[in-house]
Amino acid sequence: MTLSLYDTATRQAELVKSNNGLVSIYCCGPTVYRDAHVGNLRTFLLADLVRRTLEISGNRVELVQNITDVGHMSDDYQEQDKMLAQANTEKIDPFTVARKYEASFHEDLSRLNIQPANKYPRASESISLMQDLIQKLIDRDFAYVGEDKNVYFNSRSFESYGAISGNHLDSLKPGHRFDYTEQGAKRFHADWALWKSAGERREMIWDSPWGQGFPGWHIECSAMSLSLLPTPINIHIGGIDLRFPHHENERAQSNAIIGGEAVDLWLHGEHLLFEGRKMSKSSNNVVLVQDLINKGFDPLSLRFCFLENRYRSQMDLTWDAIAAASTTLKRWRQKLIKWEINYDFYDAELIALIENDLDTPKAMQYLREIEKDDSNPNRGSIFKFADKILGLDLDRAPLLMPLSLHQQDLLAQRVDARNSKNWQESDRIRVLLEASGLEIMDSASGQTWSWR
Ligand code: AMP
Ligand code: ZN
């Protein structure tokens, strides 16, 4: 294997391992109570880049990404389940909420050319797997049933707690907010709930040996990863916020079950900011792929922006950066039409850049230099080869992106305005068309347009 990735646990780049030629990857998936924002998608793209990089060198990959549709508690809704809180807001059943946002998650992935995972297990359909794990943890004294009928993981029973995040038990103070769960009947402040008693809750609850209730968030990833992938799992992926407590707790659960390291390499993507600010609902700063489309941008401009930043650096995305990416993407597509392509071409130099801990910014810089080199006969072949990993649809003809009905309508209205010499109206409509992502050119023979 020649791909090296930065392992959060060892704090250095490590070569990726495989299980008899198969690389197993688990990526923490979305909590489906809302549309994924562009930050979430940056993390999901990370799994796609790893997968494409491995496959281009002939490796087989099995990628599992879970769908969290129960158990993820929310900070802002007074520790209510995120799904139930949203069901309450939308006045629909929580499973309907889950299926609705799960469908938009898949749509967003396809808009960004993120290849589908091999499996998308749902937490709500993996309850018995979780219960089996919890029972095993109780039998082996890693977990206990509290007086409140919650089942807790006994953090002090797991010696190497803190190996990923550096948050060892002796440094975690009581009262520190480790988890969204209540204090309840925990024996130790750092313990966390594996199973929660239903209490007053009437929806999304299941029978269990410990009474009616629902699973904690961390146990779902242990259950789904251990049941669907061979161990050790070669790469476990998530956003940096999941390093602690989610992945620390998951590691404790999974290692306790298999009696060894359940994961070879913990890979974390840094967060995305938008126009310098954290993306959050409360500050009204959440950007969706649909918002880009509404402004007339090809969603792959977003993928382009992500590729220009290393996955483990914090990134500040701006509308200006998206517009610049859109221009370059369009230019590359126009050039690729003219360049000759040898489809069997293999570019070892490009692969070496990407296999070095996914140095996509260097790979993009490399392509910009190739673009300028008029004496290079392989430009088309290199771009086409690079696109197998970059996933930018570089061979898509730039003008094939369909106009929306609204844009078609505005173009027609502008023709009328110009025919009746109503220049003020024609200028007003031009502004609207430009805001929707088009460039408008007027000449003696009439109006023409192209995507910005
Ligand atoms: P969620 O749907 O909230 O469970 O998050 C799905 C994934 O997106 C997780 O791996 C998070 O760590 C990741 N994530 C959340 N916010 C951001 C962000 N601003 N930038 C990048 N990744 C994020
Ligand atoms: Zn997870």
Side-chain angles (χ1 to χ4, degrees):
M1 192 76 65
T2 41
L3 170 62
S4 68
L5 296 171
Y6 185 86
D7 180 7
T8 309
T10 63
R11 287 153 185 73
Q12 61 186 25
E14 305 282 356
L15 279 182
V16 170
K17 296 182 185 149
S18 73
N19 301 292
N20 299 323
L22 179 81
V23 183
S24 55
I25 309 179
Y26 185 86
C27 179
C28 290
T31 309
V32 284
Y33 69 107
R34 53 147 169 78
D35 285 315
H37 57 57
V38 289
N40 302 130
L41 287 156
R42 183 184 188 204
T43 298
F44 303 149
L45 174 69
L46 177 57
D48 187 57
L49 287 176
V50 171
R51 184 208 195 127
R52 285 172 182 257
T53 306
L54 287 164
E55 286 182 343
I56 208 167
S57 307
N59 299 289
R60 282 185 305 127
V61 171
E62 178 81 7
L63 169 65
V64 172
Q65 185 166 31
N66 65 306
I67 302 288
T68 298
D69 55 2
V70 62
H72 196 166
M73 309 310 272
S74 164
D75 269 338
D76 13 334
Y77 294 92
Q78 293 167 325
E79 312 211 337
Q80 215 188 336
D81 189 305
K82 289 186 177 189
M83 301 301 312
L84 295 185
Q86 188 62 21
N88 207 10
T89 308
E90 295 194 32
K91 311 240 169 312
I92 45 178
D93 166 81
F95 285 101
T96 310
V97 171
R99 298 298 80 86
K100 170 176 156 186
Y101 292 109
E102 191 181 323
S104 21
F105 159 69
H106 289 299
E107 190 179 357
D108 282 342
L109 294 190
S110 100
R111 285 161 157 177
L112 288 191
N113 265 350
I114 295 175
Q115 293 173 345
N118 299 76
K119 294 191 180 100
Y120 289 107
R122 293 174 179 149
S124 64
E125 291 167 5
S126 311
I127 301 292
S128 63
L129 284 174
M130 297 186 219
Q131 293 186 351
D132 289 350
L133 279 201
I134 295 170
Q135 189 58 56
K136 276 191 193 141
L137 291 170
I138 296 173
D139 295 345
R140 297 176 195 177
D141 279 340
F142 283 107
Y144 58 92
V145 185
E147 278 161 20
D148 53 3
K149 297 265 175 29
N150 288 344
V151 183
Y152 293 102
F153 191 93
N154 175 5
S155 53
R156 287 174 298 181
S157 67
F158 185 71
E159 263 182 26
S160 65
Y161 190 89
I164 308 177
S165 61
N167 290 330
H168 299 281
L169 290 182
D170 52 7
S171 64
L172 289 173
K173 306 247 176 333
H176 175 91
R177 227 178 135 71
F178 311 86
D179 199 353
Y180 307 112
T181 54
E182 62 303 293
Q183 286 308 302
K186 286 179 191 181
R187 290 183 194 155
F188 184 67
H189 56 269
D191 296 354
W192 63 93
L194 301 169
W195 185 262
K196 299 181 195 184
S197 168
E200 304 288 295
R201 177 165 158 159
R202 292 282 161 270
E203 288 169 295
M204 286 191 150
I205 50 173
W206 289 264
D207 290 332
S208 85
W210 321 286
Q212 276 203 327
F214 60 100
W217 175 36
H218 316 304
I219 195 68
E220 73 169 74
C221 286
S222 286
M224 292 188 249
S225 62
L226 294 183
S227 68
L228 294 173
L229 289 168
T231 50
I233 292 154
N234 301 122
I235 312 172
H236 192 306
I237 303 179
I240 195 73
D241 57 311
L242 301 191
R243 180 178 47 174
F244 177 83
H246 184 56
H247 288 164
E248 205 64 77
N249 293 359
E250 188 189 326
R251 174 175 174 271
Q253 295 157 176
S254 301
N255 284 16
I257 291 288
I258 72 160
E261 272 312 325
V263 170
D264 284 332
L265 194 155
W266 292 90
L267 182 67
H268 290 106
E270 252 298 347
H271 265 192
L272 180 80
L273 304 176
F274 203 92
E275 301 283 5
R277 289 188 298 143
K278 188 178 171 215
M279 258 182 297
S280 79
K281 240 186 193 172
S282 52
S283 54
N284 205 12
N285 192 37
V286 172
V287 178
L288 311 180
V289 177
Q290 189 60 47
D291 294 326
L292 265 88
I293 295 173
N294 293 347
K295 284 182 183 272
F297 289 113
D298 177 337
L300 293 178
S301 313
L302 178 65
R303 188 169 171 127
F304 194 107
C305 290
F306 290 160
L307 291 167
E308 291 205 294
N309 290 268
R310 192 82 170 271
Y311 74 92
R312 59 188 168 85
S313 335
Q314 204 177 67
M315 172 181 169
D316 186 13
L317 185 63
T318 60
W319 285 115
D320 284 350
I322 295 170
S326 159
T327 304
T328 311
L329 186 55
K330 199 170 105 181
R331 190 179 72 233
W332 283 4
R333 286 176 177 161
Q334 272 160 349
K335 290 195 170 172
L336 199 56
I337 294 173
K338 295 180 215 136
W339 290 337
E340 264 180 48
I341 298 175
N342 166 6
Y343 290 87
D344 297 327
F345 194 87
Y346 184 92
D347 187 347
E349 202 174 334
L350 179 98
I351 291 296
L353 293 174
I354 296 185
E355 285 191 336
N356 176 22
D357 195 18
L358 304 178
D359 200 342
T360 56
K362 277 218 179 110
M364 297 294 271
Q365 186 53 35
Y366 168 77
L367 290 181
R368 285 177 194 273
E369 278 155 27
I370 300 280
E371 179 194 2
K372 282 187 246 151
D373 182 3
D374 292 333
S375 65
N376 188 335
N378 296 322
R379 283 189 291 184
S381 312
I382 294 171
F383 269 65
K384 180 69 194 155
F385 175 78
D387 207 25
K388 290 184 191 168
I389 296 181
L390 305 181
L392 293 170
D393 280 359
L394 293 179
D395 53 0
R396 191 206 290 162
L399 290 183
L400 288 184
M401 228 165 69
L403 291 176
S404 69
L405 285 177
H406 182 55
Q407 285 168 322
Q408 292 174 33
D409 197 34
L410 287 175
L411 285 167
Q413 285 179 34
R414 190 163 182 275
V415 170
D416 290 346
R418 290 179 64 74
N419 286 343
S420 47
K421 301 203 175 351
N422 186 346
W423 309 122
Q424 205 179 350
E425 176 66 355
S426 141
D427 286 347
R428 187 188 71 81
I429 300 174
R430 169 198 281 273
V431 171
L432 295 178
L433 285 163
E434 284 175 347
S436 81
L438 296 186
E439 208 170 328
I440 307 295
M441 281 82 60
D442 295 315
S443 69
S445 55
Q447 146 187 298
T448 55
W449 59 269
S450 69
W451 286 99
R452 255 196 285 143

